[in-house]
Amino acid sequence: MNKKNLSDLSKEIDLQSHTAQALDFSMTRRRALAAGSISLLNLASCGGGGDNGDTTPLQGSVQVSTDLNFGTTFNYLIDVVVDSNNYKYISWMYRNIIRRSDGWYIGNGFGYVNGSKSIAKVGQPAFLALDASGENLYFSDYYYCNIRRISLAEENTPVSAHAGVPNAAGGFLNGPSTTAKFNKPLGVVIDAGGTVYVADSGNHAIRAISPSGVVTTLAGLPGTAGFADGAGTSALFNGPHAIAVDANGYVYVTESIGHRIRKISPTGIVTTLAGTGTVGSADGNALEATFNAPRGIAVDLNGYVYISDTGNNIIRVLSPSGIVTTIAGKKTAGAADGDALSASFNAPRGISLDNSGNIYVADYNNNRIRKISFVKSS
């Protein structure tokens, strides 16, 4: 797919008066698709003629469906990531299993054992991240306070330690990956250059693991919860939870205790992207919008940030122009599919995008993977 520049939308997204044509917008230029990712909002806003120059708006609506339903067999889904073949990798924190949508899985009971698929054990796997090749799956081992890696391309898909001393008590130490320490790590993501970023929740800090295996603190004062923007360790976080990175190396963090969305530049400058710190569900200007324990985040190649607002049971999007909008869910817990703002979630957690712009959500209390997609009218 050729990389092209996305034209500016002719008007802001307005899902407050959601109708059958809720995402019926026009563009001033031809349809443009970003390489490697087509956001849901692009599909909704682009002309219907593809590359032939047609700018006729697409007709349709945003719909929520159940992509995978595990009933009570595998409960407490924490995260989902989607690979280039549309396989979904899912973490069940309290079942100590990482499973793929075709039935493949890692986890032979609770514990800390590296090695082949047949013997590996994990302790409360939380968030997942695929590298650019799709051959390595990283995950945070919440109980044993370290970051581990699954080599998907190798026979028997062995599990190995990537960084951090396995230690249920947690700790804090920078340095070589074999001696570094984390404290209840949650969100994990890897950038195009191979640096792994970790939301080190127990330390209220964001850590970075270099491709050469050196752990540093990107931002946050380890062991100190609070709120402050600024550079490096002068910034403060309160319960950093999920984490994402964009194509320019900016890191995005949800604070499940601080109820904010924070952004970190490649040089470690922390700013508040959205939220006031007060619990709520107000849409609108980013710094006036409110959240309730957000615990999932993803960013597309056009700068739209997707947020699982867990405490509100809704999915939000933050536009590049700084507007927060609810795109799915009705705040009341439930499991209803259908029209996006009539559908319901129950404590949505991890959120991921596929290459077609669909959004996948780990619906924690419903034991389901939900799909949010733009459906064209017939």
Side-chain angles (χ1 to χ4, degrees), residues 112-127:
Y112 187 87
V113 177
N114 288 320
S116 68
K117 174 184 179 296
S118 61
I119 65 169
K121 293 184 179 182
V122 297
Q124 297 180 356
F127 283 80

Side-chain angles (χ1 to χ4, degrees), residues 64 313 329-330 332-337 340 342-346 363 366 370:
V64 175
N313 300 304
K330 57 181 181 180
T332 303
D337 289 332
S342 297
S344 53
F345 299 83
N346 195 343
D363 198 352
N366 282 326
R370 311 292 290 283

Side-chain angles (χ1 to χ4, degrees), residues 120-149:
K121 293 184 179 182
V122 297
Q124 297 180 356
F127 283 80
L128 309 170
L130 281 164
D131 68 7
S133 71
E135 295 181 351
N136 295 288
L137 180 68
Y138 297 81
F139 68 95
S140 52
D141 192 322
Y142 184 80
Y143 185 87
Y144 286 104
C145 299
N146 75 338
I147 307 303
R148 300 170 74 182
R149 179 173 63 91

Side-chain angles (χ1 to χ4, degrees), residues 67-147:
D67 190 69
L68 296 168
N69 186 350
F70 297 98
T72 58
T73 304
F74 293 99
N75 51 2
Y76 305 123
L77 285 67
I78 293 291
D79 197 19
V80 56
V81 295
V82 188
D83 70 12
S84 60
N85 296 312
N86 207 38
Y87 286 118
K88 290 94 181 178
Y89 292 85
I90 304 134
S91 58
W92 279 272
M93 190 172 193
Y94 300 113
R95 290 283 183 149
N96 311 302
I97 290 173
I98 295 170
R99 182 173 173 174
R100 193 167 62 197
S101 51
D102 65 351
W104 171 96
Y105 71 95
I106 287 284
N108 292 279
F110 175 80
Y112 187 87
V113 177
N114 288 320
S116 68
K117 174 184 179 296
S118 61
I119 65 169
K121 293 184 179 182
V122 297
Q124 297 180 356
F127 283 80
L128 309 170
L130 281 164
D131 68 7
S133 71
E135 295 181 351
N136 295 288
L137 180 68
Y138 297 81
F139 68 95
S140 52
D141 192 322
Y142 184 80
Y143 185 87
Y144 286 104
C145 299
N146 75 338
I147 307 303

Side-chain angles (χ1 to χ4, degrees), residues 179-201:
T179 58
K181 292 183 180 180
F182 298 85
N183 189 2
K184 303 306 177 189
L186 285 169
V188 59
V189 70
I190 183 167
D191 69 15
T195 297
V196 176
Y197 298 96
V198 181
D200 193 357
S201 68

Side-chain angles (χ1 to χ4, degrees), residues 3-287:
K3 185 174 182 180
K4 306 172 184 177
N5 292 323
L6 180 70
S7 302
D8 293 332
L9 301 180
S10 63
K11 58 183 178 179
E12 285 289 349
I13 297 167
D14 179 13
L15 288 178
Q16 302 304 315
S17 57
H18 187 69
T19 66
Q21 298 180 3
L23 289 181
D24 178 1
F25 301 106
S26 63
M27 295 180 68
T28 58
R29 302 178 189 172
R30 64 189 294 182
R31 184 173 184 173
L33 305 178
S37 176
I38 311 168
S39 77
L40 175 75
L41 302 182
N42 291 345
L43 290 175
S45 62
C46 291
D51 285 335
N52 64 7
D54 184 5
T55 59
T56 303
L58 292 175
Q59 304 293 312
S61 62
V62 179
Q63 296 287 315
V64 175
S65 59
T66 296
D67 190 69
L68 296 168
N69 186 350
F70 297 98
T72 58
T73 304
F74 293 99
N75 51 2
Y76 305 123
L77 285 67
I78 293 291
D79 197 19
V80 56
V81 295
V82 188
D83 70 12
S84 60
N85 296 312
N86 207 38
Y87 286 118
K88 290 94 181 178
Y89 292 85
I90 304 134
S91 58
W92 279 272
M93 190 172 193
Y94 300 113
R95 290 283 183 149
N96 311 302
I97 290 173
I98 295 170
R99 182 173 173 174
R100 193 167 62 197
S101 51
D102 65 351
W104 171 96
Y105 71 95
I106 287 284
N108 292 279
F110 175 80
Y112 187 87
V113 177
N114 288 320
S116 68
K117 174 184 179 296
S118 61
I119 65 169
K121 293 184 179 182
V122 297
Q124 297 180 356
F127 283 80
L128 309 170
L130 281 164
D131 68 7
S133 71
E135 295 181 351
N136 295 288
L137 180 68
Y138 297 81
F139 68 95
S140 52
D141 192 322
Y142 184 80
Y143 185 87
Y144 286 104
C145 299
N146 75 338
I147 307 303
R148 300 170 74 182
R149 179 173 63 91
I150 304 171
S151 300
L152 299 173
E154 294 186 43
E155 187 177 0
N156 296 321
T157 55
V159 179
S160 61
H162 184 68
V165 176
N167 177 11
F172 175 82
L173 184 66
N174 286 325
S177 61
T178 54
T179 58
K181 292 183 180 180
F182 298 85
N183 189 2
K184 303 306 177 189
L186 285 169
V188 59
V189 70
I190 183 167
D191 69 15
T195 297
V196 176
Y197 298 96
V198 181
D200 193 357
S201 68
N203 282 319
H204 303 285
I206 307 303
R207 315 285 291 282
I209 309 165
S210 73
S212 61
V214 177
V215 178
T216 57
T217 299
L218 177 66
L221 183 61
T224 302
F227 170 69
D229 287 335
T233 56
S234 66
L236 297 177
F237 293 86
N238 193 357
H241 201 99
I243 192 167
V245 63
D246 68 18
N248 297 312
Y250 286 84
V251 174
Y252 301 78
V253 181
T254 66
E255 290 182 292
S256 60
I257 301 174
H259 312 293
R260 293 181 175 94
I261 311 302
R262 313 289 290 280
K263 183 177 181 179
I264 311 170
S265 75
T267 57
I269 305 300
V270 179
T271 55
T272 298
L273 195 60
T276 66
T278 301
V279 171
S281 59
D283 286 334
N285 183 278
L287 295 180

Side-chain angles (χ1 to χ4, degrees), residues 339-358:
D339 185 77
L341 293 185
S342 297
S344 53
F345 299 83
N346 195 343
R349 298 287 185 100
I351 188 168
S352 183
L353 307 175
D354 69 12
N355 285 340
S356 297
N358 300 302

